[in-house]
Structure formats: structure tokens, C-alpha cells
Amino acid sequence: MRFIDTWTSATLLAVRDLTPGIREFLLRPDDFTGAPYPVGSHIDVGVTIDGQPQTRSYSLVGEVDPQGFRIAVRHAADSRGGSRYMWSLVPGARLAITQPASLVQLDWTRRQFCLVAGGIGITPIVGAAEALVRRDAGVTLHYAVRTRGDAAYLDTLDRLLGDRLIVHAGDEGRRLDLDSVFVRLPQDTMTLFCGPMRMLDAARRAWEASGRPLTDLRYETFGSSGLLPTEAFRVRLKGDGTEFVIPRDRSMLDVLNEAGHEVMSDCRRGECGVCAIDVVAVDGEIDHRDVFFSDHQKQASGKICACVSRARGTITVDTLHRADTL
């Protein structure tokens, strides 16, 4: 497996509201050394939802901070409960967190970079912008938000990038046109994207339409975002017909594993595909929230990433679990 979690205890030192809907948390691990972490790093945080221990991933903000780890959490009414738990915390709270890990691989030999962020997707982009400016690379950041009041870290980015920061605020009539942005980029530009799934789908289509190699588009997303509202759905097991209700605040992976139907997993972010299980039938619609499967595979819905993807209605799956072999 690629991900070996090393957990440690941390103290919440401070919180501050960046916008009406986004709050920043400064966490200091007990064993904090202040060592730099890779661009695009995230940490997992242990949360409690309806009395059950769960895990959520949050991107670290900035290249490095001598005080600890900074994360920013958007309070989402339609989330699975992680943001509600985080927003309930006050300074002094104790939490379990993992060491930073990064899935973002940038080619630092490039001289031109385009950064694209949608909403709370700005969190890993801040550190990338700082690193690129420090390396004197050519960099432009396109930041898409509903309103400027929703734009976290806007002052920081404005000081860092100046006119290389382009804010696309919907209420100002400046919606982000990814086709137009990508077609004008220098040919050898590498792009780093972070935003909701719908925006990522649009970015990948625009990138392909521009004739650029897909390897030059790197991205992060958040598995809580999807095309359908987050709601409860049913999972039926092939063979014995056992059914489980997947509550809106829990993943299919957690529910199946808790019931003894062992589903392997690794990243729990919809990126590695280890937890993918076979879909036998769909009575409703699958909301693929992973970035592992291609568009064609998602349309076929032959498999589903149990860690982040959801559904509307009932799906029948084959976990390959056989009780009589145990």
C-alpha cells in the first residue's frame, strides 16, 4: 500500500474565521518539529460523528508554518458531518492527526505553471503558489468563487501574486471559462487544479480539448463533493441479498467493514482505487466521487470506489467476501 498512516496527538491552538463559511484551524502536534512538508500535503484528522470515530482529510495551507499545521474547513450543511464536528471545536481541544503526506507531483523543471482553485480548493494551492514564486517560476492563479467574500486567503494571494491572481467571482459576472484559459497557455505549461468534482470534470474536458497531454494536468479534489446531493442510499450484497443503509454521514466502506464484509482500502480519498468493488445492478444512480476511474468507466458503472462514492436508490455489489472461506 502507498499510505501508511502514522498517528500522533495534537492540540488545537487557535481558530479564526476567514469568511462567513470557512474557518482556519492551527494544530500543533505533540512531536512537532517544524520540518518542511511537500507541496500539496494533507493530514487526516480523527473526528467523532454521532458518537462514531471517523476520519477526514484536510489540505495543509502554505508551505510551512513554524507554529504548527494550518487547515481550513468549509462549513457544509450537506456534508457527512466532518465540518460540523470541526466547527464545534475550541482552542485547547485535543485531536488525533496523521503526519503530512502529499499526492501531488509537480515537475519543478518546468518554467510555466497554471494554478486553478474552486472555493475551498484554494487550501493546497496557497502552498503551491508560495513554492513557485520562491522558485521564480512563471505562475498564474485562477480562483473561482461565488463572491469575493467567499474567497479565503485572498489578501495573502494578492500580496504574493499581484496581477498574476485572477479572481473569477460569479456575482461579478466573471465566471471561469476553462476552455479559454487552457487554450491560451504556453505549450509546456503544467497545471495544478483543486476544486469540486463537477469543476474537475470540466477541467479535464477542457484540458483534453486544448490538445495538451493529460500528464500535464495534476489535480486534487475532495471526495465529499459530487454531482448528486449527499443522502442515504441502500447497498444490497450479491448472493444473500443482505441490505445495508448507508447514512448520509457515513461511507459505504465504513458500513461494510463494520458489518464484517472486509473491503480493502488505502487512501480513502478516491484516488488509489484499492477499495473499488464490483457493481452488479443499479436501481437508481451512482454518484462517482473518485478521481481514479476514467469518464468511460464511470459511465459504465461496473465498479464503485467505496470510500467516497455514493448513490441514489439501491445498488447491488459483489464484495468478493465469502463467509464459508473464513
Side-chain angles (χ1 to χ4, degrees):
M1 290 189 181
R2 296 179 303 161
F3 299 85
I4 301 176
D5 292 331
T6 302
W7 289 86
T8 187
S9 296
T11 300
L12 175 59
L13 295 185
V15 300
R16 65 174 177 136
D17 289 342
L18 305 174
T19 74
I22 299 176
R23 181 169 294 174
E24 182 187 79
F25 299 80
L26 175 59
L27 306 171
R28 187 178 181 89
D30 293 350
D31 56 359
F32 183 66
T33 64
Y37 42 76
V39 167
S41 288
H42 67 273
I43 59 172
D44 289 344
V45 179
V47 302
T48 302
I49 300 172
D50 292 334
Q52 297 292 323
Q54 297 192 34
T55 301
R56 294 292 185 268
S57 293
Y58 298 107
S59 296
L60 296 179
V61 179
E63 274 199 282
V64 67
D65 191 311
Q67 299 182 73
F69 298 149
R70 291 185 188 273
I71 61 174
V73 181
R74 180 177 69 90
H75 192 277
D78 62 346
S79 78
R80 292 178 296 145
S83 68
R84 184 171 63 250
Y85 175 81
M86 292 299 299
W87 274 56
S88 72
L89 299 177
V90 297
R94 298 282 288 167
L95 299 114
I97 67 173
T98 61
Q99 295 296 330
S102 177
L103 301 171
V104 175
Q105 295 181 341
L106 295 181
D107 181 356
W108 297 107
T109 66
R110 303 289 182 94
R111 297 309 304 159
Q112 295 293 328
F113 291 82
C114 175
L115 306 176
V116 181
I120 192 62
I122 196 63
T123 50
I125 299 297
V126 174
E130 291 174 346
L132 291 169
V133 168
R134 181 168 51 80
R135 288 171 168 81
D136 198 29
V139 56
T140 301
L141 167 56
H142 293 270
Y143 189 2
V145 289
R146 289 188 177 90
T147 72
R148 284 182 181 267
D150 295 327
Y153 301 109
L154 192 56
D155 291 343
T156 299
L157 293 167
D158 188 46
R159 289 192 298 270
L160 181 69
L161 297 171
D163 60 7
R164 293 178 294 176
L165 168 65
I166 301 154
V167 178
H168 302 266
D171 69 332
E172 297 174 2
R174 300 189 61 185
R175 297 183 65 84
L176 176 58
D177 183 347
L178 289 167
D179 291 286
S180 177
V181 168
F182 291 161
V183 78
R184 293 199 304 265
L185 294 177
Q187 193 57 41
D188 199 36
T189 300
M190 174 164 278
T191 291
L192 175 61
F193 168 93
C194 186
M197 188 62 67
R198 192 184 299 273
M199 189 176 170
L200 173 58
D201 289 342
R204 289 196 288 202
R205 287 193 297 268
W207 191 261
E208 289 184 284
S210 71
R212 300 170 187 276
L214 276 176
T215 52
D216 284 353
L217 175 65
R218 307 294 170 88
Y219 45 82
E220 281 253 297
T221 187
F222 23 96
S224 60
S225 64
L227 303 181
L228 298 176
T230 300
E231 59 184 36
F233 64 101
R234 303 184 74 86
V235 172
R236 181 180 298 128
L237 300 186
K238 177 186 176 182
D240 62 12
T242 302
E243 285 193 2
F244 298 95
V245 175
I246 312 300
R248 63 183 305 277
D249 59 356
R250 301 199 69 193
S251 69
M252 182 185 352
L253 177 69
D254 287 340
V255 171
L256 291 178
N257 279 340
E258 187 177 277
H261 298 274
E262 298 178 5
V263 180
M264 292 182 62
S265 65
D266 198 348
C267 73
R268 289 178 172 261
R269 291 162 57 90
E271 295 169 345
C272 69
V274 171
C275 70
I277 56 180
D278 292 337
V279 176
V280 178
V282 180
D283 182 10
E285 186 177 1
I286 292 181
D287 188 10
H288 292 284
R289 301 184 175 191
D290 65 275
V291 294
F292 177 77
F293 291 125
S294 67
D295 289 342
H296 176 74
Q297 289 171 313
K298 289 180 179 180
Q299 290 172 6
S301 286
K303 290 181 179 291
I304 184 171
C305 281
C307 67
V308 295
S309 293
R310 302 188 66 81
R312 172 185 288 160
T314 301
I315 62 173
T316 302
V317 301
D318 185 356
T319 65
L320 302 182
H321 172 81
R322 298 292 181 268
D324 57 357
T325 65
L326 297 180

